């Protein structure tokens, strides 16, 4: 890079890497020039973080910076922007001891080269001459061994020494006339060619006389009015540069596409570029658009049929419209659609809307051509045409006379480029719209009306181009299409990543319109709360982008500011539209500072969590209980449950992934150290109150909490997971033991329904944050005990769905695999489909008996001594999923496919395949929740790897238990030795683990 310098001196050139890009004449098929012509290709690399167009200039810069200029020394690269370069790989050019000038050439056919230039080289790669528009015989002398010729294709490198010499000439008459500084100093303007003057002076076959006096097509003539100045300038170049080495690098597998004025070539260029039919567009009826067509930065409403081989760019159209093969429509606005619907369009037509400025007047001028028309061919030539028909046919059909297009003066060039065909303004009718070209195409209109209008030629239109207006129009379409795609993505449940579009909207100052569109989607999605929840998460992303990367604090954090309580209350009450409106009202007061924006984003995520919980609560539809015998007062109903090991698929069971993508999990119920570590019991008691006792931790270091609820207010904290007895309180509410909104008191409800109160006990022998599914399994155990002691029957499926519902009430969230793992015995595969209401189906896996025996001999648990923080992990995962980061979407798909493979490994009895699935699963967990592998755990896993077929932290990761599938049976002592000899592991402990085939079990029913 070259830092900003007021003056470029020799000292600057010694260390600078400079790229000079130059442009050619106007491009008839894009009002913003060839360089800024949008191409139908997707951005790659760092550009994918923000949505935006890929122009020819972007492609050229990428090619130069990543493939062609890599490793070059300080100096100056010069390149034209009128072309597209394509190189398959990075070019390894030797730059050792380089001096002089180097040209890079790509191959071309002799027929193509006849209209361009080629390099004639010697055996050592030195350039002898430049042949410009030569005969085929002359061009053939430049052929390379592959039969192609080296085209004058753009990139030229000047070493620092040569650049310094060139720098001196800008103040040397008459070459100072080539610069604006020289012209501003009074020097007459002079045009010098980079290739045919500067580089030609270095060619070894040139003599001074031939170079100075030679007549060369494509550059200033030494015989014309400026002949003396041209000769003088060439003499200066000869004296200054002669003797500098000019060498060529030929890239035989490269591709060079010079963007000519041919309309047909440009249509082909666009349709053959990329693989996507639409880029940065919104198409309402996608089946109407052929896969072999291209739609670029456009909005197509209704039945807009785009046939194979056609291109629509920078248009807003409303059907019914048909765009035929070979056509290019560009710059047409919505008002044009009415004229399009009755227009006699055929194949190979190019129709454009040009933004122009005539003094203070800004308007759109419409032009139409045939793709096969040649713009600069004389009208009386055999190949002269308009709309792919001969001029005589056009004149005969319309009654227009040649003099009306070019005037009656003799000697005036008569070609399509200069023909004043296109109506712009009527003295008594104002600006002319698309109806002006409809007449030229043979549609409605009259010759008299055409004659009455002020008209322009394409050359005049291009000279009057309002590029600022054109860019505004493209920007308007770009953001409009982006908003429409966002709405479609959300309503259509698609996995499109909206973050690049959000970032682009924020950068372009379009966040207001985007927020309004998202508000509308959220408020109208009461029938699908999953859509509403994702939409609120997208609004949070908009606010986060407004705050700026790394500014305003952490995205994860509290969301309970009282200012947002009214909106949250409305959402809790099911008043979605009113809640979304109240959120928007509150949002308006939080937009002024980065810290406020991030806090507002947190509260939008909090609001989304409310809707997500309500969506997941749909699982209650699958909870079925029936009245059974009511046990006697005081009789305990006790159950115990195994823990669970997740072998694959975890995270895919987590809402919203579980019902937006669909989840598949393989897990197993296990006893730890020979015991089912989780249990609960319940009984009815005479006193009309609730006694809630919970114990956690291994014997000898356990903690017990006892809470007595005597009034309904004591249950208010049932949705605060860290409050004492919160889980047991939530069980009482979710199992309909009591109703917190009832007008009856707690005592009245208990006496009326159950004849007294309830006493509940729960326990877990596992450490907090074990990763073995404790809290969800415990919830299932307590629910089962309560159902039994209140005289209700249930099945395991109902328990699984009841726990899902309960955890939403408790606000802990989480997925369904934990309760599946502990409530259903054995090895099983569970799945949920991409739909609401959320339903979980469980399938017991039938596995060979010897496989089960071998599995139990090789499974081992290691408690890492690290406590996991699943809630922090969960917040980040849900946010990334709502954003549909491509890596997260791909990982979710791999989690599901790996779970299916894991199930096959089990049913086919393959321990190595099971181990490989477990290892893949651990990599997938780390991809889903970066940071879930503490350094000590990584050290532990690396130390044990030679002994294992597979290993993973249980649950979400971050700590808790590590489970290991050993290569050989009974390796406990070896594992103990390795871990004790590995420094930095801290406190760890080994535990036996065995498959539990029963799942939740009723133990006893005695008093």
């Amino acid at each position: 890079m070259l830092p900003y310098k007021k003056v470029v001196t020799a000292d600057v050139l010694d260390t600078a890497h400079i790229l000079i890009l130059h442009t050619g004449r106007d491009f008839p098929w894009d009002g913003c020039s060839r360089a800024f012509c949008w191409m139908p290709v997707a951005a790659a690399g760092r550009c994918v973080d923000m949505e935006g167009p890929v122009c020819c200039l972007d492609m050229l810069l990428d090619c130069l910076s990543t493939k062609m200029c890599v490793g070059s020394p300080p100096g100056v690269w010069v390149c034209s922007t009128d072309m597209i370069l394509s190189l398959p790989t990075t070019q390894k050019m030797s730059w050792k001891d380089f001096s002089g000038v180097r040209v890079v050439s790509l191959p071309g056919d002799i027929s193509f080269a006849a209209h361009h230039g080629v390099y004639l080289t010697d055996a050592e790669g030195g350039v002898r001459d430049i042949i410009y528009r030569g005969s085929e015989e002359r061009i053939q002398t430049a052929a390379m061994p592959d039969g192609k010729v080296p085209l004058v294709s753009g990139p030229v490198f000047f070493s620092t020494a040569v650049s310094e010499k060139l720098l001196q000439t800008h103040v040397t008459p008459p070459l100072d006339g080539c610069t604006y500084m020289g012209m501003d100093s009074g020097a007459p303007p002079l045009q010098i060619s980079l290739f045919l003057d500067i580089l030609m002076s270095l060619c070894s076959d040139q003599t001074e006389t031939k170079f100075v006096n030679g007549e060369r097509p494509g550059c200033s003539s030494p015989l014309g009015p400026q002949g003396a100045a041209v000769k003088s300038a060439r003499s200066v170049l000869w004296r200054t540069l002669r003797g500098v080495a000019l060498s060529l690098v030929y890239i035989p597998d490269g591709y060079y596409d010079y963007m000519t004025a041919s309309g047909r070539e440009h249509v082909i260029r666009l349709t053959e570029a990329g693989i996507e039919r639409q880029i940065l567009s919104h198409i309402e009826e996608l089946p109407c658009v052929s896969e072999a067509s291209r739609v670029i930065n456009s909005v197509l409403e209704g039945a807009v049929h785009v046939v194979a081989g056609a291109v629509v760019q920078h248009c807003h159209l409303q059907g019914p419209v048909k765009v035929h093969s070979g056509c290019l429509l560009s710059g047409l606005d919505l008002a044009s659609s009415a004229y399009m619907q009755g227009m006699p369009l055929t194949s190979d037509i190019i129709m454009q809307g040009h933004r122009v400025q005539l003094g203070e007047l800004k308007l759109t001028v419409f032009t139409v051509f045939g793709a096969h028309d040649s713009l600069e061919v004389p009208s009386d030539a055999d190949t002269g045409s308009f709309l792919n028909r001969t001029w005589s046919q056009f004149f005969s059909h319309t009654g227009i006379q040649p003099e009306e297009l070019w005037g009656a003066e003799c000697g005036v060039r008569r070609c399509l480029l200069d023909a004043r065909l296109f109506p712009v303004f009527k003295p008594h009718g104002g600006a002319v719209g698309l109806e002006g070209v409809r007449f030229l195409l043979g549609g409605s209109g009259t010759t008299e009306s055409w004659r009455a209008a002020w008209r322009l030629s394409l050359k005049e239109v291009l000279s009057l181009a309002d590029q600022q207006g054109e860019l505004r129009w493209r920007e308007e379409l770009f953001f409009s299409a982006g908003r429409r795609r966002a709405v479609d993505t959300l309503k259509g449940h698609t996995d499109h990543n909206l973050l690049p579009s959000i970032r682009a909207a924020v950068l372009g100052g379009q966040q207001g319109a985007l927020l309004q569109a998202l508000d509308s989607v959220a408020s109208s999605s009461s029938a699908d709360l999953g859509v509403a929840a994702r939409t609120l998460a997208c609004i949070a992303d908009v606010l986060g982008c407004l705050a700026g990367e790394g500014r305003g604090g952490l995205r994860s954090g509290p969301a309970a500011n009282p200012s947002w309580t009214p909106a949250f209350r409305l959402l809790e009450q099911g008043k979605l539209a009113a809640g979304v409106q109240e959120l928007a009202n509150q949002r308006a007061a939080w937009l002024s500072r980065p810290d406020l924006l991030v806090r507002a984003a947190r509260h939008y995520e909090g609001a989304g969590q409310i809707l997500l919980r309500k969506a997941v609560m749909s699982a209650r539809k699958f909870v079925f209980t029936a009245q059974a015998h009511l046990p006697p007062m005081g009789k305990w109903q006790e159950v115990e449950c195994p823990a669970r090991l997740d072998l694959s698929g975890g995270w895919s069971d987590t809402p919203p992934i579980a019902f937006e993508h669909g989840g598949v999990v393989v897990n197993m119920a296990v006893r730890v150290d020979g015991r089912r570590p989780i249990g609960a019991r319940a009984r009815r008691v005479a006193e009309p109150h609730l006694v809630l006792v919970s114990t956690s931790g291994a014997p000898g270091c356990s903690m017990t909490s006892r809470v007595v609820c005597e009034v309904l207010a004591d249950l208010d904290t049932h949705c605060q997971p860290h409050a004492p007895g919160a889980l047991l309180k939530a069980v009482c509410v979710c199992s309909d033991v009591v109703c917190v909104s009832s007008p009856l008191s707690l005592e009245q409800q208990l006496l009326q329904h159950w004849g007294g109160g309830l006493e509940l006990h729960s326990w877990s022998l596992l450490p907090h944050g074990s990763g073995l599914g404790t809290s969800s399994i415990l919830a299932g155990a307590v629910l089962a005990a309560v159902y039994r002691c209140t005289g209700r029957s249930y099945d395991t499926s109902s328990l699984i769905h009841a726990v899902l519902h309960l955890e939403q009430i408790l606000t802990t969230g989480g997925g369904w695999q934990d309760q599946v793992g502990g409530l259903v015995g054995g090895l099983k595969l569970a799945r949920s489909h991409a739909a609401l209401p959320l339903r979980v189906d469980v399938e017991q896996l039938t596995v060979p008996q010897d496989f089960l025996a071998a599995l139990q001999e090789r499974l081992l648990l290691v408690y890492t001594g690290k406590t996991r923080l699943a809630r922090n992990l969960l917040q980040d995962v849900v946010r990334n999923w709502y954003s549909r980061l491509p890596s997260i979407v791909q990982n979710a798909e791999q989690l599901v496919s790996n779970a299916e493979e894991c199930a096959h490994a089990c049913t086919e009895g393959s321990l190595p395949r099971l181990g490989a699935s477990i290892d893949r699963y651990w990599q997938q967990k780390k991809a889903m929740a970066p940071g879930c592998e503490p350094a000590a755990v990584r050290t532990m896993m690396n130390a044990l790897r030679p002994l294992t077929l597979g290993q993973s932290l249980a649950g979400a990761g971050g700590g808790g238990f590590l489970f290991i599938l050993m290569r050989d049976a009974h390796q406990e002592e070896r594992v103990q030795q390795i871990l004790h000899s590995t420094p930095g592991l801290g406190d760890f402990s080994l535990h036996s683990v065995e498959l539990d085939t029963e799942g939740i079990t009723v133990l006893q029913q005695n008093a």
Side-chain angles (χ1 to χ4, degrees):
M1 285 185 63
L2 176 65
Y4 173 73
K5 300 288 183 181
K6 291 184 177 179
V7 179
V8 178
T9 64
D11 291 339
V12 172
L13 291 172
D14 282 340
T15 57
H17 293 77
I18 301 173
L19 172 63
I20 297 175
L21 299 172
H22 60 91
T23 61
R25 293 173 293 175
D26 291 328
F27 187 49
W29 317 124
D30 195 294
C32 292
S33 79
R34 293 171 173 86
F36 296 100
C37 174
W38 291 32
M39 297 298 291
V41 295
R46 289 174 295 178
C47 298
V48 299
D49 291 338
M50 186 176 316
E51 193 169 69
V54 175
C55 302
C56 293
L57 178 60
D58 297 308
M59 298 170 67
L60 179 63
L61 288 174
D62 179 70
C63 180
L64 292 173
S65 60
T66 64
K67 295 181 179 179
M68 186 170 290
C69 303
V70 178
S72 63
V76 178
W77 283 91
V78 182
C79 188
S80 167
T81 60
D82 296 347
M83 61 181 178
I84 297 174
L85 294 180
S86 178
L87 305 181
T89 57
T90 300
Q91 301 304 305
K92 296 181 179 179
M93 302 182 195
S94 174
W95 294 99
K96 185 178 180 180
D97 301 324
F98 177 80
S99 63
V101 179
R102 173 172 285 173
V103 293
V104 180
S105 178
L106 283 79
D109 296 321
I110 292 177
S111 58
F112 178 83
H115 303 285
H116 300 276
V118 297
Y119 294 110
L120 179 65
T121 59
D122 57 30
E124 289 74 35
V127 178
R128 295 169 49 198
D129 202 355
I130 298 174
I131 305 170
Y132 184 66
R133 294 184 181 176
S135 65
E136 287 197 10
E137 293 77 15
R138 175 76 169 134
I139 295 171
Q140 183 67 53
T141 63
M144 305 299 280
D146 59 4
K148 303 288 185 178
V149 291
L151 297 172
V152 176
S153 44
V156 180
F157 178 75
F158 294 89
S159 67
T160 54
V162 179
S163 300
E164 185 178 348
K165 290 183 177 183
L166 276 173
L167 187 62
Q168 295 169 1
T169 64
H170 87 283
V171 292
T172 304
L175 288 174
D176 57 346
C178 297
T179 70
Y180 74 87
M181 293 186 68
M183 289 188 289
D184 288 351
S185 300
L190 182 65
Q191 192 174 57
I192 289 295
S193 167
L194 168 66
F195 293 99
L196 301 181
D197 287 318
I198 295 176
L199 294 186
M200 187 74 85
S201 70
L202 309 180
C203 294
S204 59
D205 281 4
Q206 289 289 322
T207 64
E208 181 175 5
T209 300
K210 180 180 176 183
F211 171 72
V212 172
N213 299 309
E215 183 80 30
R216 296 188 283 274
C219 60
S220 300
S221 171
L223 304 178
Q226 285 188 302
V230 171
K231 291 180 181 179
S232 177
R234 290 179 177 177
S235 295
V236 173
L237 289 174
W238 185 270
R239 291 194 305 270
T240 304
L241 299 177
R242 191 61 181 176
V244 170
L246 175 61
S247 59
L248 176 139
V249 172
Y250 179 67
I251 305 175
D253 53 353
Y255 174 71
Y256 166 75
D257 177 15
Y258 177 73
M259 300 176 71
T260 70
S262 166
R264 179 62 183 153
E265 286 183 10
H266 190 55
V267 172
I268 293 173
R269 177 182 298 115
L270 293 177
T271 53
E272 293 185 352
I275 58 174
E276 301 291 337
R277 69 176 126 175
Q278 61 163 322
I279 290 290
L280 303 175
S281 297
H282 177 258
I283 302 174
E284 198 170 88
E285 297 188 18
L286 193 57
C288 293
V289 178
S290 167
E291 291 280 2
S293 66
R294 295 292 181 265
V295 179
I296 308 167
N297 192 42
S298 296
V299 174
L300 306 186
E301 301 180 39
V304 179
H305 294 267
V306 186
V307 177
V311 179
V312 176
Q313 64 177 11
H314 313 307
C315 290
H316 187 169
L317 301 177
Q318 186 171 50
V321 169
K322 185 172 184 179
V323 187
H324 294 264
S325 178
C327 286
L328 167 62
L329 268 54
S330 180
L332 306 184
D333 56 17
L334 187 59
S336 305
S337 296
Y339 297 106
M340 289 283 297
Q341 292 167 9
M343 194 170 288
L345 275 179
T346 58
S347 300
D348 300 322
I349 295 296
I350 298 177
M351 187 180 300
Q352 299 179 93
H354 306 261
R355 277 81 203 158
V356 302
Q357 183 165 0
L358 299 164
E360 296 297 317
L361 180 64
K362 294 186 177 183
L363 44 80
T364 301
V365 176
F366 296 94
T367 62
V368 63
F369 295 94
H372 299 280
D373 294 341
S374 296
L375 297 178
E376 298 192 67
V377 169
S379 61
D380 55 0
D382 292 340
T383 56
S385 67
F386 176 52
L387 297 175
N388 303 319
R389 298 179 297 174
T390 64
W391 281 107
S392 59
Q393 289 175 318
F394 171 73
F395 293 140
S396 173
H397 178 75
T398 61
I400 294 173
Q401 300 300 312
E403 293 75 17
E404 295 177 286
L405 302 182
W406 296 288
E409 298 177 22
C410 296
V412 174
R413 186 178 73 159
R414 292 189 171 190
C415 66
L416 181 53
L417 184 65
D418 296 302
R420 288 182 171 166
L421 282 159
F422 309 111
V424 176
F425 200 85
K426 291 184 177 180
H428 303 292
V432 178
L434 199 61
E435 68 273 15
V437 300
R438 182 173 59 184
F439 163 70
L440 297 175
L441 284 165
S444 61
T446 64
T447 307
E448 288 70 26
S449 177
W450 177 85
R451 286 174 174 146
W454 180 43
R455 303 182 305 280
L456 292 174
S457 67
L458 176 61
K459 183 176 182 179
E460 291 168 328
V461 169
L462 295 175
S463 70
L464 296 169
D466 176 12
Q467 291 191 334
Q468 187 176 23
E470 179 62 32
L471 290 173
R472 274 198 302 269
W473 166 245
R474 295 183 184 187
E475 183 182 73
E476 178 185 330
L477 278 175
F478 170 74
F479 289 120
S480 174
R483 289 192 297 271
R484 292 165 183 258
R485 286 196 308 276
V487 170
D488 282 358
T489 294
L490 295 167
K491 290 185 174 181
H493 306 88
T494 60
D495 289 336
H496 180 65
N497 177 18
L498 292 178
L499 270 178
S501 181
I502 289 172
R503 293 190 184 106
V506 169
L507 184 66
Q510 298 290 315
Q511 64 272 7
L514 178 57
L515 287 170
Q516 187 176 5
L518 294 176
D519 286 340
S520 177
V521 173
S523 61
S524 62
S525 298
S526 57
D528 192 336
L529 293 180
V531 169
R534 182 183 175 188
T535 304
L536 295 187
C538 287
I539 294 176
D541 283 336
V542 175
L543 299 176
C545 288
L546 278 169
E549 190 73 29
R551 302 180 64 199
L554 298 175
R555 278 287 297 273
S556 296
N561 188 288
S563 299
W564 297 83
T565 301
F568 285 11
R569 186 180 299 118
L570 288 168
L571 296 178
E572 293 280 11
Q573 294 169 353
K575 300 176 181 178
L576 180 60
V580 171
Q581 183 59 55
E582 182 58 30
L583 285 171
N585 294 342
Q586 189 58 228
R587 179 180 72 211
W590 293 65
L591 303 177
S592 59
R593 300 197 313 263
D595 60 313
L596 293 178
L597 284 161
V598 169
R599 289 165 64 194
R602 291 183 198 143
H603 284 81
Y604 261 95
E605 288 185 347
Q609 287 299 313
I610 293 173
L611 300 183
L612 177 59
R613 291 198 298 272
K614 285 184 168 292
V616 177
M617 284 180 191
S618 63
R620 195 175 192 185
K621 180 178 180 180
F622 306 110
V623 177
F624 304 102
T625 62
Q627 194 62 43
H629 173 69
L630 183 67
M633 187 76 69
K635 187 172 184 179
W636 287 107
Q637 303 295 313
E638 185 169 345
V639 299
E640 67 177 16
C641 299
R644 71 95 184 90
L645 281 183
D646 52 316
L647 301 181
S648 61
W651 282 122
S652 74
D653 68 301
T654 303
I657 302 173
F659 63 80
E660 291 184 345
H661 177 274
V664 179
V665 173
V666 174
N667 62 26
M668 60 189 293
V670 294
R671 302 184 187 194
V672 179
D673 294 329
R675 301 182 61 178
R676 295 190 182 100
I678 300 163
R681 60 179 180 170
R683 65 175 178 176
R684 292 190 297 125
V685 295
E687 295 81 0
H689 62 199
L690 300 172
V691 179
L692 312 176
V693 181
S694 56
T695 302
S696 63
C701 58
S702 62
M703 296 181 60
T704 299
S705 166
R706 186 176 188 272
V707 176
V708 178
C709 300
E710 297 183 326
V711 296
L712 281 177
D714 293 334
L715 292 167
D716 286 348
T717 57
H718 74 278
C719 56
Q720 299 174 20
H722 299 296
L727 174 61
L728 301 183
K729 292 177 182 179
V731 168
C732 292
V733 172
C734 293
S735 63
D736 297 324
V737 168
V738 296
C739 176
V740 291
S741 60
S742 172
L744 299 178
S745 67
L746 177 62
E747 177 180 347
Q748 290 171 324
Q749 291 187 58
L750 292 173
L751 289 172
Q752 178 177 321
H753 295 293
W754 316 115
L758 266 67
E759 182 176 354
L760 311 182
H761 289 237
S762 68
W763 60 88
S764 167
L765 305 180
L766 299 170
H768 177 68
S770 67
L772 299 181
T774 305
S775 58
S776 299
I777 299 171
L778 188 60
V782 179
L783 278 167
V786 168
Y787 284 149
R788 293 185 66 85
C789 88
T790 55
R792 285 175 284 177
S793 62
Y794 57 87
D795 59 16
T796 306
S797 177
S798 292
L799 278 184
I800 291 169
H801 292 90
V803 172
L804 262 175
H805 176 256
L806 181 147
E807 290 187 328
Q808 308 315 308
I809 296 294
L810 191 59
T811 72
T812 53
W816 45 254
Q817 74 133 326
D818 293 347
Q819 60 264 37
V820 169
L823 301 180
V824 181
L827 273 164
K828 57 269 179 187
L829 179 144
R831 68 174 76 244
S832 61
H833 296 285
L836 287 173
L838 178 56
R839 174 171 179 162
V840 183
D841 297 310
V842 183
E843 172 192 349
Q844 292 278 172
L845 295 179
T846 302
V847 298
Q849 196 60 40
D850 59 342
F851 172 78
L852 276 182
L855 178 63
Q856 299 207 124
E857 291 173 346
R858 289 165 174 78
L859 267 181
L860 189 63
L861 280 181
V862 180
Y863 183 62
T864 64
K866 307 295 180 184
T867 301
R868 69 183 182 89
L869 300 172
R871 186 166 180 82
N872 292 341
L873 296 175
L874 179 62
Q875 285 180 320
D876 293 338
V877 169
V878 170
R879 180 183 304 120
N880 291 339
W881 172 255
Y882 272 141
S883 298
R884 292 305 196 276
L885 297 183
S887 60
I888 296 296
V889 173
Q890 182 183 30
N891 201 43
E893 293 170 352
Q894 291 171 345
L895 281 165
V896 168
S897 62
N898 187 55
E900 302 281 7
E901 163 59 21
C902 182
H904 290 310
C906 292
T907 56
E908 295 172 15
S910 174
L911 284 174
R913 284 174 60 189
L914 174 59
S917 291
I918 293 171
D919 273 346
R920 280 194 300 272
Y921 180 36
W922 177 235
Q923 299 306 316
Q924 291 160 359
K925 284 185 182 181
K926 291 192 292 183
M928 190 64 81
C932 70
E933 184 182 58
V937 172
R938 188 180 311 116
T939 300
M940 184 180 293
M941 296 177 78
N942 289 337
L944 295 174
R945 183 158 287 112
L947 301 182
T948 67
L949 290 172
Q951 54 184 333
S952 172
L953 280 177
F961 280 94
L962 170 70
F963 67 93
I964 311 165
L965 180 61
M966 311 302 295
R967 293 183 183 275
D968 301 310
H970 310 302
Q971 294 291 301
E972 292 86 350
E973 289 187 12
R974 180 68 177 136
V975 169
Q976 192 83 255
Q977 292 171 358
I978 290 175
L979 295 182
H980 276 300
S981 63
T982 303
L985 298 186
D987 295 329
F988 67 88
S989 55
L990 264 64
H991 302 265
S992 67
V993 58
E994 59 185 280
L995 181 69
D996 183 286
T997 58
E998 298 177 18
I1000 187 169
T1001 304
V1002 177
L1003 286 186
Q1004 57 189 20
Q1005 299 182 357
N1006 55 339

